[in-house]
Amino acid sequence: MKPGLIIETRNLSYRFGNQLVLDQVSLNVREGSIYGFLGPNGAGKTTTIKVLLNLLQTEKGKVFLFGKDLNKNRIEILSGIGSLIEQPAIYSHLSGKENLLNRALLLHVNTTRVNEMLDLVNLTEHANKKAGKYSLGMKQRLGIALALLHDPKLLILDEPTNGLDPNGIIEIRQLIRKLVEERGKTIFISSHLLSEVEKMVTHIGIINRGKLLFQGTIEELHNVSKKHLEIQTNDLVRSRELLCKNGYQAEILSDTILIPYLSEKHSAEINSLLVKYDHKVYSLTVSKQNLENLFLSITQI
Amino acid sequence: MLGFLLSIQSEFYKTRKTLAFLSAILLPLILCILITAGFYTHADKIMFLSAKMQWFRFTGAFLGVMGSLILPILIIFQTFSINNIEHRAEMWKSLFSLPIHKWSIYSAKYVYVVFLNALCLALFASFIIVSGYLLNVLNPELKFNQFDISGILFKLHLKLFLASMGILSIQFLFSLLWADFLKPMGIGFVLTIFGIITANLGWKYAFTIPYTHPMLALQSMMKQVLNNKNEQMEFDLMSQEIYVSLIVAVLTFAIGYFVINKRSIR
């Protein structure tokens, strides 16, 4: 077990019948981080989370949480985790407060925590309303309150912003930041959209078809991003033909020509070539692929 | 043990306003009101009978429908309702990711359904006694107050309770495994009908089918009471179908736990 890690999986594999859903996934989640677990639908995110919560039994590989083997310390480990898996599990015939009171009863938690949690997720006003009549955003917030009730160190959230409108997404994002900054929680959050978590996460893991394709900080992900030379000329089609004839990998994207960036000298040569053949060069800039495109390109491998 | 007790409390808390819990109180109450009303309006038909026979006719009106149909159907409904609360809320994954032993969650749920069944049958016995005395107050010519049936009635309902443990365990497992209404209810209903037919036909292996046990328990009780030479309403609590019912209950409970423990929550 590496020091400072709150979640560590070693070569985790899982099969549904003949289908390999997780293929040697080795996660490293540091204490105090917000770890964005990204991947398209069906990539293996929920399966990974269910393995972390011992809902699915591991076939190959090891799972350590808080430095302990999950299979040998299930209850102790789960007492440090709060989770929200897929849709929030809520009794619709009970009010929001009753849902929390029931969970408090079950986990032997002081009922004073109930009002505190309602306040934290901004549901105090709607505490006595039937949870079945809550909006999706309110249900998600109640789900987070339920997950936080026993004051866990680690919060595992599976697509908590799924189906929410922009305001709902912002509310969840603010709540997650607050939990880390004010309450020192570690958050493991899955999503299929990088843009939804990009602004709040400190670390990212990208999974596709059961394989962990990238893991590191946001900065490390930026560094993986390839630089491009973006060129604007008076005639993009002719300019592209010229560049391709001279051995450059040029392609047109919207109103620019994209060429993989190699060096400043290489950029100057391209500029000279275009000018030499009477192409009017309006701009020539070096740009990085944005993270969303990078995420898409990684997951399309 | 604490997890088990807290889980039981939680079961009560979340079901206290639902039909799963209320049916255990409302069914005996409604049935008692209906049958009492029937006996009150037709009191002249039993007026000439002895006190013991009046009680016999009165309780017979309940037990006839209870043993064969209402008790199995009520158990099917209650076991379905208790587990359906979790299926409907997609709560299993949430429950099993809490720091509570699976054993505590499973056994608390089972014990709670057993408690509901016991409560329902205890209320049946209590309401029958109260209704009998009430009939006597309303019509003083009746003789319900001249014979104390309470001991026999509670013993009889305890016998019915034990006889229904096999059905309860099987239905509990069905409703735990299947989220939809049709499978546990449909299978349970078909097996109940099958049980009624085989018990009524007097098939010698009917005792092997748990769904016949409440009916067989009543039949064996009746047979014993009618054969008593001293005209006492005495009968054995434990009989063949009760033993089989309890064995089925223990086995099914164990199988259910094994399934829950090994089952992946997808």
Side-chain angles (χ1 to χ4, degrees), chain B residues 67-69 72-73 76 167 170-171 185-216 219:
Chain B
S68 58
L69 202 63
I73 296 296
I76 291 167
I167 308 176
I170 293 171
Q171 285 301 136
M185 291 293 276
I187 294 172
F189 196 73
V190 168
L191 287 172
T192 301
I193 302 294
F194 181 62
I196 293 170
I197 294 168
T198 51
N200 276 332
L201 287 176
W203 186 44
K204 67 174 179 177
Y205 297 113
F207 71 93
T208 59
I209 306 164
Y211 293 77
T212 63
H213 292 162
M215 207 168 175
L216 291 179
Q219 284 177 358

Side-chain angles (χ1 to χ4, degrees), chain B residues 48-169:
Chain B
F48 61 92
L49 296 172
S50 66
K52 196 197 284 183
M53 284 311 289
Q54 281 187 0
W55 273 115
F56 210 68
R57 289 281 289 274
F58 188 53
T59 51
F62 289 91
L63 297 171
V65 281
M66 266 286 285
S68 58
L69 202 63
I70 291 185
L71 185 58
I73 296 296
L74 178 70
I75 289 169
I76 291 167
F77 172 74
Q78 278 179 339
T79 49
F80 169 77
S81 305
I82 293 293
N83 283 320
N84 188 249
I85 285 177
E86 315 302 345
H87 288 305
R88 212 174 45 212
E90 292 194 46
M91 192 58 82
W92 292 114
K93 59 180 189 271
S94 185
L95 278 179
F96 288 134
S97 60
L98 294 176
I100 304 169
H101 289 283
K102 288 180 182 175
W103 165 257
S104 299
I105 295 169
Y106 172 75
S107 55
K109 217 167 234 316
Y110 180 84
V111 169
Y112 187 65
V113 179
V114 172
F115 160 74
L116 284 183
N117 189 29
L119 174 72
C120 181
L121 287 169
L123 286 176
F124 252 116
S126 307
F127 288 156
I128 290 171
I129 295 164
V130 172
S131 303
Y133 285 103
L134 183 70
L135 275 173
N136 222 96
V137 172
L138 295 172
N139 189 340
E141 286 177 58
L142 288 167
K143 301 163 193 154
F144 286 109
N145 58 346
Q146 293 170 24
F147 183 78
D148 180 14
I149 200 168
S150 55
I152 297 159
L153 210 53
F154 276 104
K155 187 178 173 186
L156 177 58
H157 280 82
L158 178 60
K159 192 176 174 75
L160 273 176
F161 168 72
L162 296 173
S164 63
M165 285 299 288
I167 308 176
L168 186 144
S169 300

